Amino acid sequence: MASSKHSEELRQLARSVLQPGFVGTKAPDWVLREIADGLASVVLFSRNIVRPEQVARLTDQLRAENPELIIAIDEEAGDVTRIESATGSTRPGNFALGTVDDTELTEAVAADLGRQLHAAGVSLDYAPSADVNSNPDNPIIGVRSFGVDAKVVSRHTGAWIRGLQSGGVAACAKHFPGHGDVAVDSHHGLPVYDADRAQIAEQALPPFRAALDAGVRAVMSGHLLVPAYDPDLPATLSRRILDELLRQELGFDGIIVTDAIEMGAVADRYGIGGATVRAVAAGADAVCVGGENAEAATARLLVDALADAVVSGTLPEERLDEAGRRIREFAAWSTSLRPTHAADWDTGGIGFAAARRAIRLHGAVQHVLPLVNAPHVVELVPTTNLAIGKETPWGVATPLGERLPGTTSVRVRREDLRSTATALEIYALAPAARRPLVVVVRDASRHTWMARALAALLAARPDAIVVEMGLPSAPVPGAAQIFTHGATAASGVAAAEVLAGAL
């Protein structure tokens, strides 16, 4: 039985490997107490962010308890944004950058983000997604990936990491060993990447090798089963994947961070505490928690689970020591890169410039653009996944209305379409009579209801202009189409500029 002194030392060490989230734009008392007692990291989400100067005050408040505190954020600078969740991202996201395929542009966009986060006191960013989106039915990656080709994803993963880290913030390549070729959202279930080792080496691992070559400081594990390496345990809980593959074969020596440990793929099977212990035993150095379970009780539960596992022999103490050492080394490195200027989210326009370059046109667009009369805009809205969180502003109607006063719009969701023909008539066709019609879709190829609604709209109005703001589906014969390769605010502005003739 452990002595009380040793027990408290174990609990302090356990705190050092947690990266919990919390609720509020100021640090709750429980977080400050945990930092004083050894918590070495926290992670910020959109619920913690209002404006740049507020984030800087928050990070200052947190570091008053520990100057070496690691402050992470889940900011992908695309559809998944935390710092701009209220307004929509002023950057187009990874898929758009991969479409442009200019690594200097990608590096510049990421460097700009790095400077912003660094100025606000952030030291670690859970980005970029290094996943190759090779499965078109993937419900969770999509435009978060730089593309469907491993070579494209590899060169932009490296460029993004070099850019972000040049701004003073550590990058975190995710979701190892690759989350792109699955069809299940790991927030809800356990995806299976059923490829052999040769296929994985050719398809999924090259971007992670590129990340290591670029000097990435952290790698995030994915909650997916990869039977070629481990038929029993998800990657986050697998020593074969985290230690034998990532550490030994690929030679990574930075910190390994788990994806959110409360996600269904692991927590539904092992519980949050059980998954945490298994992840650290497998080789993870930091456990991300609090995207959903962001309360003091969860942090206490995980501290107890780790400490008890050491006492029972389930978790070797030397493994917990090793994880703590890596965290301390990372913290010491990040401390040398403290912000020296005021926090500011102003991008200087590079994100909008990138979004414009990602625009692609198809069909007889030149015959219908620019629009002379204010159009009616129908935006078909899918349900967003948990990675995105609450729906951030996106679409074309608002920026187009600023350029063409009198523009009207309606948003249509699946639940609105009890009777497709009737609903489309009510929502779309009647107010659009004798006016240009713009139909905006997002990942229409993955949403049957949306594809059908689009087909019905085009049957009624063959002159409609289609704006695809997600992964591009196959061109519609005869239709005028604008592809943005992302659904951020910047992508919406770029599409509106094309429609209004300003681009």
Side-chain angles (χ1 to χ4, degrees):
M1 183 174 178
S3 68
S4 58
K5 179 180 179 181
H6 185 229
S7 177
E8 185 49 43
E9 289 173 348
L10 284 179
R11 290 175 60 80
Q12 187 172 14
L13 189 55
R15 288 186 185 93
S16 74
V17 303
L18 297 183
Q19 296 193 341
F22 56 89
V23 176
T25 56
K26 295 181 180 179
D29 289 342
W30 74 264
V31 170
L32 299 178
R33 287 194 301 269
E34 290 293 323
I35 295 171
D37 288 339
L39 184 68
S41 312
V42 296
V43 58
L44 305 181
F45 292 95
S46 57
R47 64 188 174 222
N48 307 119
I49 295 167
V50 177
R51 58 182 64 87
E53 58 274 18
Q54 168 264 320
V55 180
R57 287 195 300 271
L58 172 59
T59 57
D60 284 344
Q61 180 191 17
L62 290 163
R63 286 208 177 95
E65 299 294 335
N66 175 9
E68 292 193 352
L69 184 74
I70 299 167
I71 299 179
I73 195 169
D74 187 21
E75 174 59 51
E76 296 181 14
D79 284 24
V80 177
T81 181
R82 311 306 178 195
I83 61 174
E84 297 182 300
S85 64
T87 58
S89 179
T90 52
R91 302 173 178 91
N94 286 356
F95 196 77
L97 292 172
T99 298
V100 177
D101 201 10
D102 179 345
T103 54
E104 290 185 2
L105 176 66
T106 295
E107 187 168 341
V109 169
D112 188 64
L113 174 66
R115 288 189 293 270
Q116 290 180 327
L117 295 180
H118 178 64
V122 171
S123 49
L124 171 63
D125 186 10
Y126 295 157
S129 167
D131 308 296
V132 181
N133 195 61
S134 48
N135 188 336
D137 293 324
N138 193 316
I140 192 65
I141 301 300
V143 295
R144 299 167 66 193
S145 167
F146 288 107
V148 300
D149 180 86
K151 292 180 179 178
V152 172
V153 177
S154 295
R155 57 177 173 261
H156 288 277
T157 294
W160 207 95
I161 289 166
R162 288 191 297 273
L164 186 79
Q165 295 192 164
S166 74
V169 175
C172 179
K174 62 186 183 186
H175 307 80
F176 188 82
H179 211 299
D181 194 12
V182 300
V184 172
D185 182 346
S186 50
H187 288 87
H188 306 296
L190 179 62
V192 179
Y193 181 19
D194 199 11
D196 61 34
R197 291 196 181 194
Q199 292 172 312
I200 294 169
E202 180 180 359
Q203 178 190 62
L205 294 183
F208 291 97
R209 292 183 184 275
L212 270 60
D213 289 343
V216 72
R217 292 279 178 168
V219 170
M220 177 176 281
S221 62
H223 299 330
L224 69 160
L225 194 68
V226 190
Y229 283 95
D230 192 329
D232 302 314
L233 293 170
T236 294
L237 315 183
S238 171
R239 190 162 187 82
R240 296 177 186 177
I241 293 174
L242 298 189
D243 184 68
E244 294 177 16
L245 177 57
L246 181 54
R247 290 285 189 214
Q248 297 181 39
E249 184 176 331
L250 299 188
F252 179 60
D253 195 40
I255 62 171
I256 298 176
V257 185
T258 73
D259 205 349
I261 207 68
E262 65 262 54
M263 289 167 61
V266 292
D268 287 354
R269 287 161 175 76
Y270 306 101
I272 296 178
T276 294
V277 170
R278 285 169 170 80
V280 176
D285 306 302
V287 177
C288 172
V289 65
E292 298 173 67
N293 297 66
E295 59 284 315
T298 298
R300 288 195 296 268
L301 182 155
L302 299 188
V303 169
D304 290 343
L306 289 166
D308 291 347
V310 172
V311 173
S312 69
T314 306
L315 173 63
E317 187 170 351
E318 56 269 24
R319 170 77 272 273
L320 190 58
D321 276 330
E322 178 188 39
R325 173 183 60 79
R326 291 185 188 278
I327 295 300
R328 289 191 299 274
E329 290 174 350
F330 180 95
W333 167 80
S334 64
T335 300
S336 67
L337 301 173
R338 283 288 174 263
T340 57
H341 52 285
D344 185 3
W345 288 166
D346 183 10
T347 67
I350 191 170
F352 289 100
R356 294 180 187 108
R357 290 182 60 184
I359 292 285
R360 299 292 183 270
L361 308 179
H362 181 269
V365 179
Q366 67 274 16
H367 299 307
V368 294
L369 297 180
L371 296 175
V372 177
N373 299 316
H376 180 64
V377 181
V378 178
E379 296 179 330
L380 303 179
V381 183
T383 300
T384 57
N385 59 58
L386 283 175
I388 294 175
K390 70 175 185 178
E391 186 174 311
T392 58
W394 69 280
V396 173
T398 298
L400 187 56
E402 294 170 355
R403 289 156 179 80
L404 291 175
T407 295
T408 57
S409 65
V410 64
R411 300 203 118 193
V412 182
R413 302 174 187 272
R414 182 177 183 175
E415 56 268 26
D416 296 325
L417 300 179
R418 291 186 297 275
S419 171
T420 301
T422 302
L424 290 176
E425 217 172 279
I426 294 171
Y427 285 120
L429 302 181
R434 299 186 182 87
R435 296 177 61 191
L437 178 64
V438 177
V439 182
V440 183
V441 295
R442 182 173 179 177
D443 293 331
S445 61
R446 288 202 305 104
H447 300 284
T448 302
W449 73 269
M450 190 181 297
R452 289 175 177 169
L454 174 61
L457 285 166
L458 287 174
R461 287 288 303 269
D463 61 328
I465 303 166
V466 179
V467 180
E468 169 61 87
M469 298 198 72
L471 289 175
S473 52
V476 179
Q481 291 175 277
I482 299 171
F483 297 98
T484 65
H485 303 95
T488 70
S491 299
V493 168
E497 289 174 341
V498 171
L499 290 163
L503 181 60

